[in-house]
Structure formats: C-alpha cells, structure tokens
Amino acid sequence: MKLAKKALFAGLILVIAAGMAFAGGGGDSKGGVTKGMDRKIVMGYSQIGAESEWRTACTNSVKAAAEEWNIDLRFSDAQQQQQNQLQAIRTFIQQKVDIIAFTPVVETGWEAILKECLDAGIPTICVDRSIEGSDRVAANPNDKNDPDNWFTAFIGSDMEQEGNRAAKWVIANAAKIKPGKSVYNIAELQGTVGSSAQMGRFKGFRDTLGINPTSALGTSKDGKFKIILSQTGDFTRAQGKQVMEAFMKSNGNDIDVLLAHNDDMAIGAIQAIQEAGKVPGKDIVIIGIDAVKGAFEAMVAGTMNASIECNPLLGPQVMETAVKILNKQPVEKWVVSTESDYDQTNAAAAYPTRQY
Ligand code: GZL
C-alpha cells in the first residue's frame, strides 16, 4: 500500500510541474497568458545597443511593455554590430520564437535573414529604423523581391520629416539668435552612416533648405544657408565631441549653426565649443534631434537652442502590433510615431513631465 501512495504522490508532482511549464509558455517563471492571447507568446528582440539616451529609453520601453503584456521577451544587445543582430535573429529562429522584432542598425544586409524568418513562418516587426528599399507602405503581397514584404510592420518615426522640421526651425530662428548675417554657415554631425535615421535626417534637412540632398556640403538656393562641415559622430556623445573639436580647430570662427542628428552628439559638441572658448547657444546656434532629458537640461541652461522630438517609447505599440499579427488581425504597414518640437520658448514648461 505504501508503495502505491508514493507512486500516486510522485505522479501528482509530475502533473503539477507539467501544468506550470505549459502555462509559463517560454518556460519563464511568471506563467499566465499574454494579453489578448490564449497562451504566453515568445518574442525575440534584436536591439542595436546602448549608444544614446534615446536608445536606452527605447529599450526600457520595450522591456516594460513586454512585462505589461506578459510576453516572454528574449532580448539581445548587438553593441552596434550588424553581425551580432544577424546571429541573434538566427538564434531566435532556432528557438522557434513566435515573433521577432528588431531595429536594423543600418538599412542594408537584411534580405537573407528576413527571408529565413519568412521560410520559418516567423513574422517580423521593424522597430525605430527601417531597411533599404522599403517605403513602408503596403506592397504587392506576392512580390518576394519587394523589401516591404520581408517584414510585417514598421513602427517608428518619419526621419525625413525630422530633418524637414529641423530645417524649418533653423530658417525661422537662426537670424533671431544671431542677427545681421547674410549667410549662415552650418556644421552637421551626422548619425550612424547608412542608418535610416542618418539618411532620412540628412535628406530632409537639405530638401527643406533647398540644398542638393545628395551632397554633404552645399548652399541653399536663396544663398542664405551653407553647409560647410558635415561628418558622422555615430550618434554618441564622445564622438560628437571629438568631431566638433576638429570642426572648431578648422573653422571655429565661421560656424553659425550646428545641426546634430541626435541630442547626445549635440551635448558632446557643446563641451567642445566651450573648451574652444565660444558660447554654445549664442555664438553657435545648436539644434539636435530626439528631445531627450539632456537636451531639455541644455535648453533650460541656454547652451542648446532646440530639439526635434523622435519618440523612443515604442514598446506598447510593438507588443500591441505583435499580438494583432499573431491573432491574424490586420495591422498598419507603418505605425507612425507622434512627435513635437521643443526650444527655449517651451522647454522649461515641458521638462518636468518628460518620460525620457
Ligand atoms: C532614431 C534612432 C536614433 C536616435 C539616436 O529613431 O534610431 O538612434 O536619434 C539613436 O539617439 O542612437
């Protein structure tokens, strides 16, 4: 009799353990089901790295939203290397995750891996940046050569629009801050070369100023604005400072405006401008993109003039879109982020409620 009881008890333990593992979906401890699903889904996420305040805010938003939606998130940090992203996505395929989200560090080199995802029946979501050849509108779904069909949805900003908005601010404000100039010389700190963020901002800024969008340097049609320096700082503070140091050495007395493709590079450049004996925000009008906390602090301090918002809080949209896709519900090909522009007229009022 004792033996039978022991066997029964052991069997019970096995059943309970099996039940918990199933409820836990990807075997993690939390269990339960994903919001809007009848099971817990597993998402592989390949993130670029942690190069800027913006990126950290984006990562935090994705992780918090995965918690909120009860999604088992397999998160990989590529440390800015595309090779690491490709490897991570291949691992997600081997793990048979339900869906893959990724931020392409540059626009090129994604066709093969995304076709492997398609062959494995795993839908993919492009987050923040996009891939070459994608205009992110619904394409002919049967055309395997159309990059728009290599991923299911894109969630992120219109980078060209951000460049347009930056140029519009410069046109409207440069002369107010530095009056009396017939030509405003512009220095530009570009983002990671080949990324959709760098390419979109580069083009949008030039288009609105009336400068040839295919060349780094050039003069606007009306002759009022001239890009005299343009180089990448790879979206980091350190490199933004380093490149601005070189700009100040070669043309420190000629620069009227600095456009930085993100605030981190602008903040690095501010240090270089101060070390060169010039007054940032007055001798050189400084505009960045992202609208991160550091930019608000600089605008309130008067060392930075404006920042064009690029929303990193994409996590909720990523998880909502993933659940819709897995539930076979229709999703927008491009879920556009909503954004505003900030400068010294509204930064102080907005700063206390900023989330990143
Ligand atoms: C833009 C994003 C850019 C940010 C940078 O959507 O990809 O990358 O502007 C970040 O701060 O490094």
Side-chain angles (χ1 to χ4, degrees):
M1 191 48 176
K2 257 187 176 177
L3 202 59
K5 273 189 175 172
K6 272 185 182 171
L8 180 65
F9 183 68
L12 265 176
I13 294 295
L14 279 174
V15 167
I16 293 167
M20 279 173 71
F22 175 78
D28 71 333
S29 58
K30 200 169 167 216
V33 297
T34 296
K35 247 177 14 183
M37 304 285 300
D38 59 2
R39 60 190 175 87
K40 184 164 190 172
I41 64 171
V42 181
M43 174 186 282
Y45 193 107
S46 169
Q47 178 60 294
I48 293 178
E51 75 282 2
S52 63
E53 278 187 62
W54 191 99
R55 185 65 52 205
T56 303
C58 179
T59 292
N60 293 341
S61 173
V62 164
K63 289 181 173 176
E67 277 292 310
E68 172 63 28
W69 283 74
N70 199 26
I71 288 173
D72 178 0
L73 184 71
R74 310 274 166 88
F75 187 87
S76 157
D77 174 332
Q79 289 159 3
Q80 312 303 112
Q81 300 304 315
Q82 180 174 38
Q83 202 45 46
N84 293 343
Q85 291 200 279
L86 299 174
Q87 185 48 53
I89 293 171
R90 206 154 272 130
T91 303
F92 295 146
I93 293 172
Q94 288 158 3
Q95 291 174 343
K96 296 185 173 24
V97 299
D98 295 293
I99 193 160
I100 293 170
F102 74 112
T103 298
V105 60
V106 291
E107 286 200 347
T108 52
W110 301 97
E111 178 173 356
I113 194 70
L114 291 179
K115 284 185 173 173
E116 285 178 40
C117 293
L118 286 172
D119 293 344
I122 301 176
T124 52
I125 301 175
C126 251
V127 181
D128 167 28
R129 297 183 188 173
S130 55
I131 63 172
E132 183 180 45
S134 160
D135 49 10
R136 301 183 299 273
V137 291
N140 160 13
N142 304 314
D143 179 359
K144 288 223 177 305
N145 293 318
D146 183 335
D148 281 327
N149 292 326
W150 298 344
F151 61 91
T152 309
F154 168 69
I155 297 171
S157 305
D158 185 331
M159 310 292 182
E160 249 186 70
Q161 269 303 315
E162 292 169 352
N164 299 144
R165 288 156 53 197
K168 282 178 186 150
W169 188 91
V170 168
I171 291 165
N173 293 282
K176 289 181 195 165
I177 298 160
K178 277 197 86 173
K181 304 270 302 182
S182 55
V183 182
Y184 285 85
N185 290 325
I186 298 170
E188 178 186 39
L189 290 170
Q190 296 182 35
T192 302
V193 175
S195 68
S196 59
Q198 173 264 337
M199 294 167 78
R201 292 167 184 172
F202 180 100
K203 181 177 185 305
F205 188 68
R206 285 158 177 74
D207 280 345
T208 303
L209 284 176
I211 293 175
N212 177 353
T214 62
S215 67
L217 310 182
T219 303
S220 58
K221 285 199 180 78
D222 63 8
K224 287 185 183 160
F225 298 95
K226 186 177 181 188
I227 301 178
I228 61 169
L229 295 158
S230 180
Q231 201 177 319
T232 184
D234 209 16
F235 283 133
T236 70
R237 288 191 186 195
Q239 290 184 61
K241 181 180 182 194
Q242 204 175 8
V243 174
M244 196 65 197
E245 282 165 352
F247 284 175
M248 295 307 287
K249 277 201 185 78
S250 64
N251 295 77
N253 293 324
D254 309 325
I255 303 170
D256 302 305
V257 177
L258 169 67
L259 165 72
H261 285 193
N262 82 333
D263 294 333
D264 283 70
M265 293 189 293
I267 292 162
I270 286 168
Q271 291 169 13
I273 294 166
Q274 289 168 326
E275 288 167 8
K278 295 282 183 185
V279 181
K282 293 200 176 9
D283 296 333
I284 297 178
V285 178
I286 299 173
I287 179 166
I289 299 175
D290 282 348
V292 295
K293 273 207 169 74
F296 278 85
E297 286 156 2
M299 286 189 279
V300 170
T303 55
M304 187 168 175
N305 302 89
S307 184
I308 304 298
E309 185 179 37
C310 173
N311 188 348
L313 306 179
L314 303 173
Q317 286 170 310
V318 172
M319 304 310 155
E320 181 186 18
T321 303
V323 167
K324 280 182 177 174
I325 290 168
L326 293 172
N327 279 331
K328 306 265 185 275
Q329 294 164 338
V331 293
E332 297 289 319
K333 190 71 190 176
W334 180 6
V335 182
V336 189
S337 310
T338 49
E339 296 156 351
S340 311
D341 299 344
Y342 295 92
D343 61 21
Q344 290 182 10
T345 63
N346 60 6
Y351 181 34
T353 54
R354 294 294 296 169
Q355 295 180 62
Y356 66 93

